[in-house]
Amino acid sequence: MHRYERLDGEGVTLALTIAPRGAPRLLYWGPALAPTADLVAWDALHAPSWREAQPDAPVSPNIFPVHGFGWMGPAALSGCAQGGDGAVDWGACSVRRILDAQHGDALAITLRDPRLGLRAELEWHLDADSGVLACTSEIHNDGSVPFALANLAALSLPLPRWAEEILAFAGDWALEGHPQRFRAPIGSWAQINRTGRTGFSGASMAVLEAGAGDEQGRVLALHLAWSGSHRLGVESSSDGGRIAQLEALLEPGEILLAPGECHRTPFAYACFSDAGLNGVMARFHPFVRRAILPRASSGPRRVHANSWEGVYFDFDLEKLKALADGAAALGAERFVLDDGWFCGRRNDQAGLGDWRADGERFPQGLDPLIAHVAGLGMDFGLWVEPEMVNENSDLYRAHPDWCVHAPGAARPGMRQQLWLDLARADVRDHLFAQLDALLGTHEIAYLKWDCNRTVFPAVSAKKPAGQAIARGGYQLMDRLRARHPRVEIEACASGGARLDLEILKRAARVWGSDATDAQERARILRWASLIVPLEAIGAHIGPSPNPITGRQLPMQFRAAIALFGHMGIELDPAKLSAQEQETARAMIALYKSQRALLHSGRLYHGFSEDGAQLAMVVAEDGGRALALALRLEASREAICAPLRLLGLDACCDYSVDLLAPWPAHAAKRLAQPDLWRAPRIFSGASLMQGGLPLPLNAPHTAWLIGLQRR
Ligand code: GLA
C-alpha cells in the first residue's frame, strides 16, 4: 500500500509517493494541483514497469537513493561500516509533517537500515509564499560500530523528462558568471569545487526544457547553500532517467561517525518555474529577502565609497580624508577603508592576523578618520580577512601551529597567506576577541569580510577537516554578529568566490567580483541575480581605464550598471573630470531615488532581436518600474530592433521617462529628442509587444527608463 504526501506553495505542488519500503519517490513537482487531485491514480499511471536486464523488482529513482540492492544511479549516501559493508537497504519510511513557522509546509522523512544501524533524517520544506524548496539530510549512526561516510547529498532530485538541458556557470578571478548551457549527456556531469570556498563558479545551476529562456519554458533552479567544497551534478542513464544531486564534498576519512554520532548537510534550495528564468527570480528573490538575508540589512542600501581601487595600499590619513571628502561630495553614504590599514600592511605580504591599526599610518588610531567620515555624514566600514594569516605577522610568529597544515609537510602559500585553523576553538576565540575589541572600541558600521585563498591541505588535528574549517568560519561570524548585531557584513572572497545562501544568512551582501569593468559586471550581475536579489550584490563604479581589463568606459555607462546592484564608487574622485563628477553625482542621486523600488520589486531580464539587453524592476504593486536598456557590443544592424519591456500590465497606460543623464553618444541619435524632454504616455501592451525604439546601436550604451502606471 502506498501513501502520498504533498507540499503546496505559491502556485506549485510537490507530491511524494511513499512505498512500504525505501525512500519516497518524487511523484510530481509543477504547477499547483487541485486539492482534490487523485495522486493514487496518477501514481498508478506512472508505476515503473518490468524490463529486460533489470532487477526482478523494478527499481526507480527516489529522493534518497543508495547502492546495494539494485539502484545503479548516483547515491545520496555512501560509506562503509567498520569491519562490514556499505550496502544500505532502507526499511519502512516514516513521514511526519512538521510545523515550520519560517517556511510553511514541511515534511520530516525518516529512513532506517537496522542491519547497518543507519538512520537518515531528511527535511523538505516548501516555502508557502515563494514555492522555494529547502532540503537538508542528516545521517545518524545508531549502530555499534563506526561508519565511514563517503558522501551525503543535501538534495537528490529525480528530474522530469523535459529537463534535458543544464545551465551552469564557470568562473575565475574577475571572470565570474560565464554561463554554459548544454544538453545533459548520458552519463554524468558534475561541477566539482575543491577550493574550500564557494568558488568563482558559484553554487547554482538549473535544468531546463529545450527552448526555455528568460520568459518562457520550464526550469528547475538549484542552489547549494555552502561556502566550501562541493559538487553539483546531474547523472542521466540510458533509460531516460536523470537525477540531480547537490552536496558538500567530503574527503576520504573526514567523517567517521562513531556510534551515536550524526552528520548533517548544508541546505539545498530549489524551485520550479514554468515562466523561464525570470520565473526563477520571481520565486528566489522574495524568499531570499524574507528568509535568508539578515534582518539588520533591511534599511536602505547606502551608497558605498570603497578605498581599494582609489588608492590600493598607497595611503595615509590625509589621503584617506581627501578620498572621503571627494566621495561625500558625490553622494556616498558609507566610507569603507579596504586593505592596508592594520599592523605592518604595506602590500599583500604581511600583517594578516594582526587586526590593530598600523601605528605609523594611524598614530592616533582609526578614530580621527572615523570622526572625519562621520563629519561628512557617512558611516564607516573596515576591511578584514579573519580566516587568514601572513607568515610575516605577530600572530604567526606567536602561533605558527594555528594555520591549517599537515604536520611535517610544506605550508604552501597563496597570496603569501595561510588559512587559520578555524576548526580549533582557541583560534576562533582569539579571532573573536580581536574583532570584538575592534568593533567594541570604534564606531564601525560595516565589515568587508574577505577571504583571498583556497584551503589546502584541508587538514586539522592531523585529519581531513574541510567541513569543520568551513563551519568554524560560520561560528566565528555568528558569534561576532550576536555580539554586534548592528554591524553589517559583506562577504567577499577574491571578489565573488563566496556567493551562496548560507553566507548570505550572515552577510548583508556579497562583493560580486573584483571586475569593476562595467561590461564584465553586467554579465556578473545578470547571473548572480538568478538567485540573489540586486540589493545583496555589491556593484561599484570603478576607474576608467579599468585597472583589470584596461577598458575605457563612459561614466554614465559605468554608473548605470552599478545602479542595478548595491551601488558604490571605488575610485579616486579627484581624478575625475568635472563632467564625470557631475554625471556620477546625478547617477548616485538617481540610485537613491530608485533604490526602494530596485530593492523590493520583481526583476526581469530580456533582450531584443539584435542583442540589446534589458534588466527591469517592477514594483510589487505594479505601480512603478525602472528599466535598464543596454548594449555591450555594437549592433550588426544599422537600425536597432525595438526593445520590448516586460512585467507591465498590458491593460494600463504608463508614463515613460528617459531618465537623465542620457548616454551622450546615443542621445545624438534620438529621432526626436524633444519628444523625451518630458514623460510620454504609452500603453503597457504597446511597450511589451511593440517595444521602445531607442538608439542602442553603439557598444556601451545604457538608457534608464522610468515608468509610472497611470
Ligand atoms: C580582494 C578583494 C578586493 C580587495 C582586495 C584587498 O581581492 O576582492 O576587493 O578588498 O582583496 O586586498
Side-chain angles (χ1 to χ4, degrees), residues 639-644 658 669-671 676 682 687 690-696 703:
I639 301 174
C640 283
L643 190 58
R644 282 171 283 117
L658 276 191
R669 303 180 71 143
L670 265 179
W676 290 107
F682 300 105
L687 291 166
L692 277 177
L694 290 171
L696 268 167
W703 290 97

Side-chain angles (χ1 to χ4, degrees), residues 463-483:
K463 291 204 321 234
Q467 295 272 322
I469 293 165
R471 286 178 206 273
Y474 291 148
Q475 282 171 32
L476 176 62
M477 223 182 244
D478 288 343
R479 192 170 163 200
L480 208 64
R481 288 189 60 239
R483 178 69 70 92

